[in-house]
Amino acid sequence: MALSFKAGVAAPVAGSRARSVVVRATKYDEELVATAHKIATAGRGILAMDESNATCGKRLQSIGLENTEDSRRTYRELLVTTPGLGKYISGAIMFEETLFQKTSTGKRMTECLTEQGIVPGIKVDKGLVPLANSNGESWCMGLDGLDTRCGDYYKAGARFAKWRSVVSIPAGPSLIALRDCAYGLARYAAIAQNAGLVPIVEPEVLLDGEQDIDQCLEVQEAIWAETFKYMADNKVMFEGILLKPAMVTPGADAKVKSSPETVAAYTLKMLRRRVPPAVPGIMFLSGGQSELEATLNLNAMNQSPNPWHVSFSYARALQNSVLKTWQGKPENYKAAQESLLQRAKANSDAQLGKYDASGESAAAGERTYEKGYKY
Amino acid sequence: MALSAKSAAARSAAAPRGAASRARTVRVAALSTEKSNPYMEELRATANYIATRGKGILASDESNATTGKRLATVGVDNTEDNRRAWRELLYTAPGLGQYISGAIMFDETLFQSTAGGVQFVDVLKKQGILPGIKVDTGLEVIPGTDGETSTQGLDGLGERCARYYKQGARFAKWRAVLKVGSSTTAILENAHGLARYAQIAQANGLVPIVEPEVTLGPGTYTIEENAYWSEKINSHVMRLLNEYGVVLDAILLKPNMCLPGLDAPTASPADVAKYTVRTMLRSIPPAVPGIHFLSGGMSEEESTLNLQALQEACPNSPWSLTFSYGRALQSSTLKTWAGKKENADKAQDILVQLARANSQAQLGKYKGPHPVPGGGRILQALRTGGPGK
């Protein structure tokens, strides 16, 4: 439900100090809400295709291609020109290089997307580095010059942004890491909104570790409490953000696996306890789950109405089969696009709660998890 | 809270070995509270029952001093028996339980009985109304502030809650008082009090009603300003509830509706609803089963019309948007009774009609006419100085 209100500065109350009350005014308020609702529409989710050049290179190398700008462009072109993609995909997150690229026919990547009704998005963080005095944990860089970068990205056609911080359960997480993760996200979100970009807020609780699902729930409740706390302090407008959490699951090396119903129950419990309904959409990351797992879990979460749109923002869980099908060969191009469409449709069905897993290939069940994965 | 050497040793002996466990520094409060609290299932069931759609709370927990002031307005002396008779009138109103799921009582009242010797807690339970209990002991001015208050009552709270549970109470209430323009000191102090109280209440089997009231006060502040401060205060309260491991599925919230200052033009129900709903959507996670608005000085009719407008502004609300009304249910009831036995039936009838009107409003089905139309604001002065006597 869209809430509209005027941005502005309220008049000071007679006779009291420090009264300029700013009700979260930025000139982009209405546009931010509209964009967020455009992305958080029924039956649609986000295609995350913002791998850094190094990570994208790994993917290409795994199918025998060299990591050049041209091959990266060819691969991303395959994705964004997939006919009919806009039926299931409402937003696509790009890496900086891709945002400014053109396809082989000279058309801008952003235009290919907007033509299909897909909102272009942009990764704006500058990656993870070691965090001093922590338990070997990371923090996410990118605040320096972020306002200028966001302004440039908006001009280039981006309308939402993404920043990925991580939280490690085997490492604790330490309070230092927890707080920095939440704080960085809050500052990024405020800056992005002021530049007209809907911030996707992503504190990824990594799959790595032996923790059981209860421990994961505990850590997720802690990081989201912290994140909302700092976002409120930084006057982030919740009607104009999207969340990108990890689902609440046992760790990759946990002894006991959980069914989609259990993952759904735990994840929804966490969301209900931490996410105010003003947030329009929750777009889950797949984080190393297999394509099939990621779809089944999403489907289980949509068996009854939720106060927010509950959907996907998948990278590996949408691209894995595409790469395998393509193998870098032109003769497989259409089949690869078809495979992307299939995965997108499967997740669209899952968003609507009507996914049917019969007929899925074995490849869809392959784990995409890598220990110590670098995005 | 100092940990003895013995317990520290016991804890480290019990902890599993390994790098992961040594690194474990994230708060375990929430998880261990939920898993180790034997009342948890009952707390959840209680909270959900009180938040049943179409029902709300009757707030009848005025301290003896405040009750005395009310009785004085109809010429009734402030004696224990008169206070008892007044509450008996409320709780024995026939059919009240159709619309009321909980009644908040003062300490004295929780242990009282009808003239015929039936305990109030039993009268209420028979009506399907859960007994609740005010557990704070009043307001004190925070030194160094401009008359801002902190709520007292944490000392011995655990024991008090246990005793109240034994007597039959199943939920508690603690009122924090804030205002448009509260200082950070006052906000943090009051949020802290609410969080600690809530934690202790849950540990002793009582569902805590968390009440961060931004009072309807003098001044020309706008409804937007009230909304801003209400949201900011709610945000601080929620974050401390999380830090103290309070299980949100088993609390109820009692906030104010967003209203402009007393010296500003009154807002329409649609505007009250728009800002109030926006504030709730931004600050209250769906796990909280019920949001029970206080009437806080609104007239009886205003309280019902605004409640109805809330449903229209938020048709699929994840929490029940309902009421916990004191003055808005009691004011005309008291005037009708005026301390006279021969008026009791009529007074009870007014009470039930008011409860029904608000029940219908909670369901979004209120049509009117209101049982007590056109009344003015029902204001009361803020009382400080410690426990109400």
Side-chain angles (χ1 to χ4, degrees):
Chain A
M1 84 178 232
L3 293 168
S4 64
F5 46 88
K6 287 209 189 72
V9 178
V13 164
S16 49
R17 301 165 283 159
R19 287 332 314 269
S20 64
V21 168
V22 177
V23 188
R24 297 189 179 173
T26 79
K27 66 179 186 181
Y28 292 108
D29 276 3
E30 285 191 28
E31 185 183 346
L32 290 168
V33 175
T35 302
H37 281 271
K38 215 161 147 196
I39 295 172
T41 43
R44 302 209 296 165
I46 291 175
L47 166 61
M49 41 179 277
D50 59 313
E51 294 82 1
S52 64
N53 289 345
T55 305
C56 187
K58 272 179 155 191
R59 302 274 164 82
L60 297 173
Q61 280 150 5
S62 76
I63 54 169
L65 290 177
E66 269 189 56
N67 186 12
T68 64
E69 190 190 332
D70 199 56
S71 56
R72 292 193 295 271
R73 187 194 49 71
T74 306
Y75 176 51
R76 268 71 183 261
E77 178 174 341
L78 184 158
L79 300 176
V80 307
T81 59
T82 296
L85 190 62
K87 190 156 175 230
Y88 311 119
I89 299 294
S90 52
I93 320 177
M94 290 183 277
F95 183 63
E96 189 183 62
E97 177 187 80
T98 323
L99 182 69
F100 294 99
Q101 272 179 341
K102 296 191 166 108
T103 65
S104 52
T105 64
K107 195 187 228 179
R108 302 205 50 202
M109 294 278 191
T110 49
E111 215 190 306
C112 298
L113 291 169
T114 51
E115 256 177 10
Q116 291 226 47
I118 303 175
V119 182
I122 175 70
K123 186 220 301 279
V124 302
D125 71 71
K126 291 257 175 221
L128 303 168
V129 287
L131 175 63
N133 300 341
S134 70
N135 296 325
E137 296 154 291
S138 322
W139 67 287
C140 185
M141 301 191 301
L143 291 178
D144 291 3
L146 180 61
D147 52 352
T148 309
R149 274 205 318 287
C150 285
D152 293 340
Y153 295 150
Y154 183 94
K155 284 201 199 82
R159 286 298 176 270
F160 72 96
K162 169 238 176 177
W163 169 295
R164 174 184 178 254
S165 259
V166 299
V167 170
S168 160
I169 300 183
S174 66
L175 275 181
I176 299 174
L178 193 85
R179 294 224 159 112
D180 191 270
C181 172
Y183 183 73
L185 282 165
R187 293 274 285 114
Y188 136 77
I191 292 169
Q193 285 193 332
N194 273 276
L197 302 179
V198 170
I200 295 192
V201 178
E202 179 178 359
E204 173 172 358
V205 177
L206 296 164
L207 195 57
D208 301 47
E210 302 173 335
Q211 61 274 4
D212 61 34
I213 196 169
D214 285 307
Q215 287 174 305
C216 181
L217 175 65
E218 176 190 342
V219 172
Q220 292 252 28
E221 286 188 355
I223 185 60
W224 281 110
E226 207 71 5
T227 304
F228 273 102
K229 173 170 140 180
Y230 289 122
M231 286 201 291
D233 284 344
N234 280 278
K235 304 198 167 136
V236 172
M237 178 187 54
F238 294 160
E239 290 89 353
I241 67 174
L242 295 165
L243 306 187
K244 183 162 170 169
M247 297 183 194
V248 180
T249 65
D253 300 315
K255 295 186 182 60
V256 178
K257 303 298 172 204
S258 294
S259 67
E261 288 68 38
T262 304
V263 169
Y266 269 78
T267 306
L268 289 175
K269 182 188 226 181
M270 183 276 288
L271 295 175
R272 291 183 65 85
R273 287 175 171 181
R274 292 295 181 264
V275 184
V279 176
I282 300 177
M283 324 296 285
F284 282 97
L285 58 94
S286 50
Q289 294 177 31
S290 72
E291 289 173 331
L292 185 59
E293 255 179 300
T295 307
L296 285 170
N297 288 339
L298 181 64
N299 187 54
M301 284 193 265
N302 281 296
Q303 293 307 305
S304 47
N306 291 306
W308 346 253
H309 178 72
V310 173
S311 184
F312 58 94
S313 172
Y314 291 165
R316 285 171 275 181
L318 280 171
Q319 297 182 45
N320 202 38
S321 298
V322 180
L323 283 160
K324 291 221 148 54
T325 308
W326 183 38
Q327 293 297 320
K329 301 191 167 87
E331 59 267 32
N332 297 337
Y333 198 87
K334 275 204 152 31
Q337 289 189 319
E338 187 47 52
S339 150
L340 174 62
L341 205 63
Q342 246 184 43
R343 289 260 51 86
K345 178 176 191 305
N347 288 301
S348 162
D349 286 344
Q351 198 292 308
L352 296 166
K354 33 184 205 149
Y355 170 67
D356 178 2
S358 61
E360 289 280 23
S361 71
E366 249 173 45
R367 215 75 207 277
T368 62
Y369 168 70
E370 276 170 48
K371 196 167 175 149
Y373 176 70
K374 294 218 179 334
Y375 200 107
Chain B
M1 153 184 142
L3 292 168
S4 68
K6 180 180 169 201
S7 66
R11 274 183 308 122
S12 63
R17 294 291 126 221
S21 64
R22 263 184 278 122
R24 214 90 244 278
T25 49
V26 119
R27 277 166 235 103
V28 299
L31 183 61
S32 54
T33 304
E34 201 183 353
K35 297 225 155 207
S36 66
N37 186 341
Y39 296 107
M40 198 42 61
E41 257 191 65
E42 184 187 25
L43 287 168
R44 267 194 265 263
T46 298
N48 283 317
Y49 176 74
I50 295 174
T52 302
R53 301 298 165 112
K55 296 198 182 192
I57 292 172
L58 165 63
S60 56
D61 58 310
E62 298 83 5
S63 66
N64 291 346
T66 304
T67 308
K69 284 190 156 179
R70 302 274 167 84
L71 294 175
T73 65
V74 292
V76 174
D77 288 339
N78 188 12
T79 65
E80 190 188 332
D81 196 55
N82 284 341
R83 293 191 295 270
R84 191 203 57 71
W86 164 232
R87 267 68 182 261
E88 178 173 342
L89 184 151
L90 297 175
Y91 302 150
T92 58
L96 188 65
Q98 288 176 267
Y99 314 115
I100 301 294
S101 50
I104 320 176
M105 293 187 271
F106 183 62
D107 182 296
E108 175 188 83
T109 323
L110 184 66
F111 296 90
Q112 284 179 328
S113 306
T114 64
V118 182
Q119 293 233 317
F120 280 165
V121 292
D122 293 325
V123 170
L124 288 168
K125 281 180 189 161
K126 198 139 172 254
Q127 290 241 46
I129 301 174
L130 289 179
I133 175 72
K134 186 225 302 281
V135 300
D136 72 72
T137 56
L139 309 174
E140 286 285 359
V141 173
I142 303 171
T145 66
D146 185 16
E148 292 177 287
T149 62
S150 156
T151 302
Q152 310 299 295
L154 290 178
D155 290 358
L157 179 59
E159 279 166 5
R160 273 206 317 290
C161 286
R163 188 163 61 91
Y164 293 148
Y165 180 92
K166 200 151 168 247
Q167 175 61 7
R170 285 299 174 268
F171 69 99
K173 169 238 178 180
W174 170 291
R175 175 176 178 247
V177 174
L178 294 144
K179 61 178 185 179
V180 168
S182 278
S183 67
T184 307
T185 304
I187 295 175
L188 291 177
E189 168 62 23
N190 281 284
H192 168 267
L194 281 167
R196 287 282 283 124
Y197 136 76
Q199 185 193 48
I200 293 170
Q202 285 191 337
N204 288 283
L206 301 180
V207 168
I209 295 189
V210 173
E211 180 177 357
E213 174 176 359
V214 177
T215 41
L216 173 57
T220 52
Y221 60 81
T222 62
I223 193 170
E224 284 98 339
E225 286 185 85
N226 180 293
Y228 170 81
W229 286 95
S230 299
E231 191 184 319
K232 183 175 155 117
I233 285 159
N234 283 350
S235 167
H236 279 280
V237 171
M238 293 314 300
R239 66 183 65 180
L240 277 187
L241 291 176
N242 292 338
E243 292 217 1
Y244 282 78
V246 176
V247 179
L248 296 184
D249 323 9
I251 70 167
L252 298 165
L253 192 73
K254 182 164 170 171
N256 53 286
M257 294 194 199
C258 295
L259 298 169
L262 285 170
D263 303 308
T266 48
S268 65
D271 275 345
V272 171
K274 168 176 149 185
Y275 285 96
T276 305
V277 164
R278 187 185 81 182
T279 303
M280 296 303 123
L281 286 173
R282 285 179 171 180
S283 52
I284 312 301
V288 177
I291 299 181
H292 298 252
F293 291 94
L294 54 96
S295 50
M298 293 188 287
S299 74
E300 282 143 325
E301 189 175 19
E302 209 184 345
S303 305
T304 304
L305 291 175
N306 287 345
L307 185 62
Q308 165 73 21
L310 288 178
Q311 319 310 320
E312 290 162 10
C314 195
N316 296 310
S317 73
W319 353 252
S320 178
L321 291 167
T322 179
F323 60 95
S324 172
Y325 289 166
R327 284 168 271 175
L329 286 170
Q330 294 183 47
S331 187
S332 295
T333 309
L334 179 64
K335 285 200 189 81
T336 306
W337 178 53
K340 302 191 167 77
K341 271 207 171 74
E342 58 269 27
N343 295 340
D345 283 351
K346 192 144 175 269
Q348 288 185 324
D349 186 55
I350 291 279
L351 172 64
V352 174
Q353 280 187 53
L354 286 165
R356 183 189 308 122
N358 288 305
S359 159
Q360 289 173 338
Q362 196 295 306
L363 294 167
K365 297 189 176 143
Y366 171 74
K367 277 183 177 39
H370 198 263
V372 184
R377 289 276 172 77
I378 319 166
L379 303 174
Q380 72 179 9
L382 205 62
R383 299 189 58 257
T384 60
K389 294 280 180 289

